[in-house]
Amino acid sequence: MGVWCVVYLTDTLLRSSSTHRIRYESWLASRGLMLSPFHVRWQTTVFNRLFAYCARINPRALHLWFNSGLVFGIVSMVGSVGLLVKTLQQTLAQMTSDNPRMESQQALQVVVPGVNLPTNQLGYFFTALLLSGVIHELGHAVAALREQVRVNGFGMFVFVLYPGAFVDLFTTHLNLVSPTQQLRIFCAGVWHNFVLCLVALAFLFLLPIVLLPMYSTGGGALVIEVVQGSAADGPRGLSVGDIVTGLEDCPVRGVEDWSSCLSHLSHSPQTGYCVPVASLQPSWAHGRAFKRLDGTMDCCSNNSLTDLCFSYMKPQGRNSREKEFACMPVRKMVTGTPVCRNDNDCAAHTHSVSVCVSPSLENQTRFIRVTHPPNTHMLFVGYPPHLQYAVSLTNFIPRFTFLHLDLPVFLETFCKYVVSLSGALAVVNSVPCFALDGQWMLNALLEATLVTVVTDRQKRELIGFFLLLAGSALLAANVALGLWMVTAR
């Protein structure tokens, strides 16, 4: 707000000045700049030759290309309406439900920077949005020149915070071409957004191959950030550059394995460990075991940070399923110890007489050994999702020390934003709505298909008006309810 107020006041003072007004306005006109409240626009003819060159490349291929875009535009008009209806139903269902998972299931969501978009990712967001807008307008410009419609210029703008692009077409030429030609021009923008989405998606999947000479994958998950003060921080925690290869007996070959292993450990019983019977000390050695509020048992009454209470079946009383508890130094006990689910697993892994002991913890709390060689295990006691939020990882491990750890993360994140935003632009611009590409696509489609059915032009325009009104109301309802869900709830 402060920046826009300064810009607007400066523009107003210069325009009202009798000394600087003419020079200022001529300076703006020579550079193609236009200023209005919360809006800066720049237009140029520099790229007209580039558009004309692109329009002359292989005419047959371009004809097939833009005809494919025409078909895609018509299909996407119907599909976008269906997607908005489904999104509206999901939003209304979420408004009456307290289930947070329903929001993540929505295909379209309103994005508010600083609310549901992290401020440290605004650069990705705005750059991907600008790229998607430029490719969108490039499609319009090349398609227009192919249909003998003059392009007056290309420009970019910033509205409030959001960047965008546009092409200025010669309206007289546009009105002279046939409705089918107009459809090719109007559908070219969403078609190019769809293609850009596919290209970014393909690059995202091929990224391990592209970066293969510099980065390896499949050898573990590389730690690139640890939240300070979190459960993973500390001298015996994880550090930037560590490679995580396992969580308990679950191997970790990448970020996907890390997430799936944590999810599996959250919903499965606590892993046990094979411990020789001779090393066990009964619970009375450290004080009597007592029940927690949730009904589980604890036997380490001294609140030691190095000891943990373990439960096991008494070797002489297995038929009665009687449990015994022992408070033991946890790091010494689990180092190099095989995991187990019952005592029979220990008999298969060890030669000495051993029992399967498991940490006696609260219901959702888990004890997890994090393997990150050559360091000793990091021992985590807590709710597994907290460990996932405390650490940021990547699949890409640099082959050379001079390579930056964040380069693959930057490429991955940018591609994901391009996929999301370019796809969203293709969907939103396809909606038959006032002031969007869908308005002109619908009008041209009605002129191309209803001429023989509805001969009166005014009736065709009336049909188009009501369809646009319905599409505009549908889009407005999605945006309004989406904003309410993001901000007010």
Side-chain angles (χ1 to χ4, degrees), residues 213-216 222 240-241 397-406:
M214 298 179 291
Y215 296 85
S216 63
L222 179 69
V240 174
I397 303 173
R399 298 181 184 272
F400 310 101
T401 55
F402 64 86
L403 292 174
H404 206 284
L405 300 180
D406 292 333

Side-chain angles (χ1 to χ4, degrees), residues 157-178:
F157 65 88
V158 175
F159 178 70
V160 187
L161 285 175
Y162 295 91
F166 65 93
V167 287
D168 182 14
L169 303 181
F170 191 52
T171 308
T172 304
H173 287 179
L174 190 60
N175 293 331
L176 291 176
V177 298
S178 67

Side-chain angles (χ1 to χ4, degrees), residues 26 32 47 94 111 119 173 181 184 189 214 230 367 373 399 471:
S26 62
F47 300 102
Q94 188 184 348
V111 174
T119 53
H173 287 179
Q181 291 176 297
R184 292 195 193 100
M214 298 179 291
S230 66
F367 172 78
R399 298 181 184 272

Side-chain angles (χ1 to χ4, degrees), residues 199-486:
V199 170
L201 194 62
F203 184 79
L204 187 62
F205 282 110
L206 294 175
L207 195 58
I209 299 176
V210 174
L211 297 178
L212 187 60
M214 298 179 291
Y215 296 85
S216 63
T217 56
L222 179 69
V223 178
I224 58 174
E225 184 182 2
V226 179
V227 177
Q228 291 186 357
S230 66
D233 191 22
R236 291 194 175 183
L238 296 175
S239 303
V240 174
D242 287 351
I243 300 174
V244 178
T245 58
L247 296 170
E248 288 299 336
D249 56 343
C250 184
V252 174
R253 293 175 293 273
V255 179
E256 294 77 13
D257 291 342
W258 165 271
S259 300
S260 62
C261 287
L262 284 176
S263 177
H264 171 71
L265 293 172
S266 299
H267 299 94
S268 59
Q270 173 64 54
T271 306
Y273 305 92
C274 295
V275 176
V277 176
S279 65
L280 291 174
Q281 293 182 351
S283 60
W284 51 261
H286 292 270
R288 186 173 180 177
F290 60 93
K291 277 190 177 182
R292 300 188 184 95
L293 293 177
D294 65 341
T296 57
M297 301 296 293
D298 192 4
C299 57
C300 294
S301 57
N302 59 351
N303 295 323
S304 172
L305 296 176
T306 59
D307 297 339
L308 193 64
C309 184
F310 289 84
S311 64
Y312 61 96
M313 303 302 299
K314 294 179 69 173
Q316 66 275 20
R318 294 180 188 178
N319 293 332
S320 62
R321 310 299 297 173
E322 184 179 355
K323 276 191 175 182
E324 182 61 85
F325 299 90
C327 183
M328 294 180 288
V330 60
R331 181 171 292 277
K332 180 180 179 181
M333 192 273 295
V334 302
T335 301
T337 304
V339 297
C340 58
R341 298 296 176 185
N342 51 54
D343 291 344
N344 295 329
D345 294 338
C346 296
H349 287 91
T350 60
H351 299 290
S352 59
V353 180
S354 301
V355 293
C356 186
V357 303
S358 60
S360 179
L361 300 169
E362 298 176 9
N363 292 335
Q364 293 184 332
T365 306
R366 295 290 185 272
F367 172 78
I368 301 174
R369 293 185 303 184
V370 181
T371 307
H372 56 122
N375 303 307
T376 57
H377 291 91
M378 186 196 86
L379 306 182
F380 170 81
V381 179
Y383 188 39
H386 292 170
L387 181 58
Q388 186 168 5
Y389 299 143
V391 184
S392 297
L393 305 108
T394 179
N395 293 322
F396 298 90
I397 303 173
R399 298 181 184 272
F400 310 101
T401 55
F402 64 86
L403 292 174
H404 206 284
L405 300 180
D406 292 333
L407 176 60
V409 179
F410 167 79
L411 295 175
E412 268 188 318
T413 307
F414 182 71
C415 286
K416 289 177 181 178
Y417 270 99
V418 171
V419 170
S420 300
L421 293 175
S422 190
L425 281 178
V427 171
V428 172
N429 274 288
S430 300
V431 179
C433 172
F434 293 109
L436 295 178
D437 286 350
Q439 175 183 358
W440 316 112
M441 290 162 60
L442 178 65
N443 291 337
L445 180 63
L446 294 179
E447 288 297 319
T449 56
L450 294 185
V451 174
T452 56
V453 180
V454 183
T455 55
D456 189 353
R457 183 181 180 88
Q458 289 185 346
K459 291 183 178 179
R460 294 197 300 271
E461 291 178 350
L462 190 62
I463 293 173
F465 173 78
F466 282 112
L467 290 175
L468 289 173
L469 195 62
S472 301
L474 179 62
L475 182 61
N478 272 276
V479 172
L481 293 180
L483 278 173
W484 184 86
M485 290 297 296
V486 170

Side-chain angles (χ1 to χ4, degrees), residues 85-97 102 106 477-478 481-482 484-485 489:
V85 170
K86 183 179 179 181
T87 304
L88 186 61
Q89 291 175 344
Q90 292 175 336
T91 304
L92 291 173
Q94 188 184 348
M95 290 173 65
T96 58
S97 173
M102 294 186 67
Q106 289 184 320
N478 272 276
L481 293 180
W484 184 86
M485 290 297 296
R489 207 175 171 188

